[in-house]
Amino acid sequence: MKVAFLGTGLMGLPMAQRLLAANIQLIAYNRTPEKLAPLQAAGAEIAAHPRHAIRAADCVILMLTNAGAIYSVLLSDTSWRTLAGRTVIQMGTITPSESKEIRDSVVNAGGEYLEAPVLGSIPEATDGKLIVMVGAYRDQYQRYLQLLQHFGSEPIHVGSVGCASALKLALNQLIASLTTSFAVSLGFVQRYGVDVDLFMQILRDSPLYAPTFDEKLQRMLDGNYANPNFPTKHLLKDTDLFIDEAKSVGLNVSSIEGVREILQMAMKMSLATADYSSLFSAINSDSNEEWETGSG
């Protein structure tokens, strides 16, 4: 099997590198060609246009930013015409509705489509320890299980196309909400002079604790948001997707809409490319009063 890998950003690069390390033939495309240099050095074939990568491969893996990028890269007129007989595995974060629409376009072109979004960040992608959630027919899941195991040892079949996308958005909503809730509590105890170590000791011994709190604690205390595994702008994008999709099925999204406001403030503070724990700075910013006045 020869694999075309489209999208080699923060997550796509280490995932593609794992395929190369397993001696899988790989042809790669990225809209920013400079990002392909490490893959080329490791032996990947490089495509100047997505249609060249698709035409040369049996299977196409997508790790692109959003549905708009997928339509531009995969479903442009020239690329769409090369999909016949190919399998497309979509591994980025998009909505269930978008995933189903893309599936229909791929199938109409004569290809087949699976979704397999992942939970985890750069370290897990590098080590092949991502949680891979697969939306597909059972036989498709079985046929591509071995390939997907390069990214995570136990890919989980969660249902048909759309189910895995929904599960991924639900989990990313928790990333945003849990991190925001922790940041508010951390800022609150700091303002009242409570010892942070004591706060964390009690929190760790309680059923309220989540490991992500410790993972983000030092970044928040130091205000060091460099070298992100997951930038603020990407969490905001996923939060927007969740809100739109959740509203469409009749859920009350007031709580996550408040989180979105905090993420938007972090963006205004030039923290778009910083680690998403930077929302702590937005919560503790001296400009909060101005923000609340302006947003009213």
Side-chain angles (χ1 to χ4, degrees):
M1 180 188 297
K2 187 172 184 178
V3 174
F5 207 106
L6 310 184
T8 58
L10 288 175
M11 290 289 286
L13 177 60
M15 291 170 68
Q17 287 171 326
R18 286 198 60 81
L19 296 182
L20 283 174
N23 295 316
I24 291 174
Q25 281 188 289
L26 190 77
I27 180 167
Y29 170 81
N30 196 74
R31 290 182 294 176
T32 306
E34 295 77 18
K35 293 184 178 180
L36 294 165
L39 293 176
Q40 188 170 26
E45 186 180 343
I46 301 302
H49 192 281
R51 69 174 178 271
H52 299 152
I54 297 166
R55 188 180 294 123
D58 307 294
C59 176
V60 181
I61 291 178
L62 306 178
M63 200 62 187
L64 296 162
T65 307
N66 52 34
I70 294 172
Y71 275 95
S72 174
V73 170
L74 184 78
L75 299 176
S76 67
D77 188 55
T78 54
S79 295
W80 183 80
R81 294 176 184 276
T82 63
L83 289 174
R86 273 80 179 174
T87 298
V88 174
I89 304 178
Q90 198 297 114
M91 303 192 74
T93 303
I94 59 177
T95 69
S97 302
E98 290 168 338
S99 191
K100 291 175 184 177
E101 289 172 3
I102 293 165
R103 173 202 59 194
D104 292 346
S105 295
V106 170
V107 170
N108 287 338
E112 68 170 342
Y113 176 90
L114 298 75
E115 59 178 14
V118 298
L119 186 66
S121 56
I122 296 170
E124 290 79 22
T126 302
D127 295 338
K129 294 182 178 179
L130 294 167
I131 297 173
V132 183
M133 300 161 280
V134 186
Y137 294 116
R138 172 64 66 171
D139 68 303
Q140 291 177 313
Y141 166 75
Q142 294 292 348
R143 278 188 282 123
Y144 289 95
L145 178 60
Q146 189 172 356
L147 176 65
L148 294 172
Q149 283 174 328
H150 292 294
F151 309 122
S153 60
E154 297 181 15
I156 304 163
H157 183 233
V158 299
S160 59
V161 169
C163 292
S165 294
L167 181 54
K168 169 63 173 170
L169 284 182
L171 292 166
N172 278 25
Q173 186 277 146
L174 277 175
I175 293 173
S177 293
L178 283 173
T179 306
T180 302
S181 294
F182 174 68
V184 171
S185 290
L186 178 62
F188 187 78
V189 299
Q190 284 182 315
R191 297 285 176 101
Y192 277 88
V194 177
D195 182 73
V196 170
D197 289 338
L198 179 61
F199 165 63
M200 292 303 300
Q201 176 189 326
I202 293 170
L203 180 58
R204 291 186 193 107
D205 289 339
S206 79
L208 305 173
Y209 177 72
T212 188
F213 300 159
D214 267 310
E215 290 172 8
K216 296 304 178 183
L217 174 63
Q218 204 58 49
R219 279 188 178 272
M220 291 179 181
L221 293 177
D222 295 343
N224 178 9
Y225 311 122
N227 303 312
N229 290 327
F230 191 29
T232 304
K233 64 180 181 180
H234 289 171
L235 186 56
L236 177 58
K237 182 267 291 184
D238 293 351
T239 299
D240 283 336
L241 293 180
F242 177 86
I243 289 171
D244 289 345
E245 201 77 4
K247 281 183 175 179
S248 75
V249 293
L251 292 177
N252 184 327
V253 294
S254 300
S255 61
I256 189 64
E257 285 180 328
V259 171
R260 177 170 62 183
E261 284 192 10
I262 293 169
L263 288 167
Q264 288 171 333
M265 185 175 181
M267 296 283 285
K268 288 178 179 289
M269 295 169 65
S270 301
L271 295 167
T273 59
D275 186 84
Y276 68 89
S277 55
S278 63
L279 57 79
F280 180 73
S281 288
I283 287 167
N284 286 275
S285 169
D286 291 335
S287 63
N288 277 340
E289 187 175 341
E290 295 175 14
W291 169 259
E292 288 168 5
T293 301
S295 65

